[in-house]
């Protein structure tokens, strides 16, 4: 496995690999089994002929909250071991100064899908995501890229960016990897208090029972209200949003729907957790 810290190193490491599949998995580090699953899927997709590139970059531009950026976990040595054991060929690990010129003045904004859910409560977040992902696409020039469905809105926005800008990359969505108790793996989970860590699987449980209620014809408003009530009955928990949206447009649905997404963001103390479930009703 090779490690590139600069754009020049990355270019020279990738140049002999061009002409075959190059699969990119962008991450912000503090890798866990969710990331590992994406890396292994990338390895499988690339096959023996192709290459897997992982980027590890804590992108400051996508953080709307300075405290969240400052406390975001970093485990670089462990991350490299994870990449190596998952069969990554090249890790791109740039510094912030390497990625961004101090006087950068070009931004990239998706305006429709970004206006709801996390986009509504994290101003500028998805513009920062689009900017860094676009830069990574240009630097790596992968044939394929893999993103997790845990960040469902992010995947939808990147799909839209790829479509609207004619970026010649095939995107793949990967299923959410969970702890045995149902909590979606997240780099932020280590910041939960022991009490909140114990209570956090309630998110998954409430989404599953909402799924049953949806299938049995329960009105959408009741379903969302019930999820909110059950999470907010936990001390120190505040929901940011609980919304049932169209799985493609991410805009709210009020009636039974072909393919919907029930998405939740909730503060467990000062840690913001997200999760979602795809729902369908015939
Ligand atoms: P992050 O490092 O949080 O930016 O995540 C990097 C990639 O890993 C994104 O595409 C995420 O959606 C994905 N990811 C994070 N957590 C999980 C998980 N629990 N299951 C599947 N994919 C995940």
């Amino acid at each position: 496995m090779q490690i590139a810290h600069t754009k020049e190193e990355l270019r020279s490491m990738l140049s002999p690999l061009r002409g075959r599949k190059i699969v990119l998995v962008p991450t912000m580090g503090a890798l866990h089994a969710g990331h590992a699953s994406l890396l292994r899927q990338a390895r499988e997709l690339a096959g023996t002929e192709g290459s897997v590139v992982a980027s590890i970059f804590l992108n400051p531009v996508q953080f709307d909250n300075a405290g969240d950026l400052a406390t975001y976990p970093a485990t670089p040595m462990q991350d490299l071991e994870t990449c190596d054991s998952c069969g990554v060929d090249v890790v791109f690990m740039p510094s912030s100064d390497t990625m961004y010129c101090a006087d950068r003045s070009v931004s990239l904004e998706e305006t429709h899908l970004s206006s709801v859910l996390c986009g509504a409560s994290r101003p500028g977040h998805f513009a920062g995501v689009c900017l860094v992902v676009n830069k990574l696409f240009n630097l790596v020039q992968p044939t394929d890229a893999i993103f997790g469905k845990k960040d469902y809105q992010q995947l939808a926005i990147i799909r839209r960016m790829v479509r609207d800008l004619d970026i010649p990359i095939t995107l793949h969505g990967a299923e959410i990897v969970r702890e045995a108790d149902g909590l979606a793996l997240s780099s932020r989970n280590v910041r939960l208090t022991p009490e909140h860590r114990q209570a956090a699987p309630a998110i998954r449980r409430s989404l599953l029972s909402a799924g049953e209620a949806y299938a049995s014809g329960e009105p959408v408003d009741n379903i969302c209200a019930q999820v909110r009530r059950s999470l907010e009955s936990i001390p120190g928990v505040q929901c940011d949003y609980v919304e049932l949206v169209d799985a493609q447009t991410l805009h709210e649905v009020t009636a039974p729907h072909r393919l919907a997404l029930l998405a939740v963001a909730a503060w467990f103390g000062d840690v913001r957790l997200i999760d979602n479930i795809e729902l369908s009703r015939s």
Side-chain angles (χ1 to χ4, degrees):
M1 187 176 79
Q2 302 184 86
I3 302 165
H5 293 283
T6 66
K7 295 173 182 177
E8 293 69 30
E9 285 170 357
L10 181 70
R11 256 179 226 119
S12 68
M13 287 174 195
L14 292 181
S15 95
L17 308 177
R18 301 232 175 265
R20 284 159 287 164
K21 236 184 218 303
I22 296 181
V23 185
L24 171 67
V25 178
T27 81
M28 296 204 298
L31 302 186
H32 49 62
H35 298 110
S37 143
L38 268 58
L39 295 171
R40 278 193 287 267
Q41 287 176 54
R43 182 70 271 162
E44 182 128 354
L45 193 61
T48 47
E49 296 291 302
S51 310
V52 175
V53 179
S55 62
I56 298 179
F57 177 59
L58 188 53
N59 177 33
V61 176
Q62 74 187 68
F63 280 77
D64 53 307
N65 174 328
D68 189 24
L69 175 60
T71 55
Y72 201 88
T75 55
M77 298 319 289
Q78 220 174 293
D79 292 351
L80 290 176
E81 279 170 28
T82 303
C83 288
D84 199 31
S85 70
C86 292
V88 171
D89 297 294
V90 176
V91 179
F92 181 43
M93 246 180 158
S95 69
S96 200
D97 291 347
T98 296
M99 276 303 270
Y100 293 112
C101 294
D103 63 347
R104 71 180 175 84
S105 52
V106 174
S107 56
L108 189 59
E109 199 174 359
E110 188 288 325
T111 53
H112 185 66
L113 305 171
S114 305
S115 64
V116 295
L117 304 176
C118 290
S121 45
R122 301 186 66 188
H125 168 64
F126 286 118
V129 169
C130 284
L131 185 64
V132 79
V133 170
N134 204 47
K135 282 165 75 71
L136 290 168
F137 283 174
N138 287 331
L139 288 163
V140 176
Q141 296 174 32
T143 54
D144 299 77
I146 305 186
F147 293 86
K149 288 190 186 176
K150 159 136 190 307
D151 301 278
Y152 202 97
Q153 186 173 17
Q154 170 174 280
L155 173 60
I157 290 168
I158 292 166
R159 274 196 199 289
R160 182 64 64 94
M161 178 177 82
V162 161
R163 187 198 74 178
D164 286 359
L165 300 184
D166 298 304
I167 300 175
I169 294 175
T170 305
L171 296 180
H172 306 265
E175 295 307 321
I176 302 176
V177 177
R178 300 176 179 282
E179 300 281 5
D181 61 14
L183 176 62
L185 290 177
S186 162
S187 304
R188 292 184 178 87
N189 290 352
V190 295
R191 294 189 44 232
L192 291 167
T193 62
E195 293 75 22
H196 278 155
R197 171 62 192 85
Q198 210 183 348
I203 301 175
R204 173 66 173 165
R205 282 197 302 275
S206 67
L207 288 178
L208 287 173
S209 41
E212 284 167 22
Y214 186 73
S216 70
E218 185 83 12
V220 168
D221 282 353
N222 293 359
I223 294 172
C224 295
Q226 177 53 36
V227 171
R228 185 177 279 274
R229 253 197 318 275
S230 72
L231 292 179
E232 292 188 343
S233 70
I234 303 165
V237 173
Q238 187 73 46
C239 289
D240 178 359
Y241 61 74
V242 177
E243 275 184 53
L244 190 79
V245 297
D246 179 292
Q248 247 124 52
T249 67
L250 302 186
H251 282 260
E252 218 165 342
V253 296
T254 46
H257 212 65
R258 197 175 29 86
L259 183 60
L261 181 81
L262 182 56
V264 173
W267 289 96
F268 279 60
D270 63 354
V271 183
R272 188 173 178 279
L273 299 180
I274 59 170
D275 202 347
N276 64 74
I277 187 170
E278 286 174 321
L279 303 177
S280 56
R281 182 149 73 179
S282 44

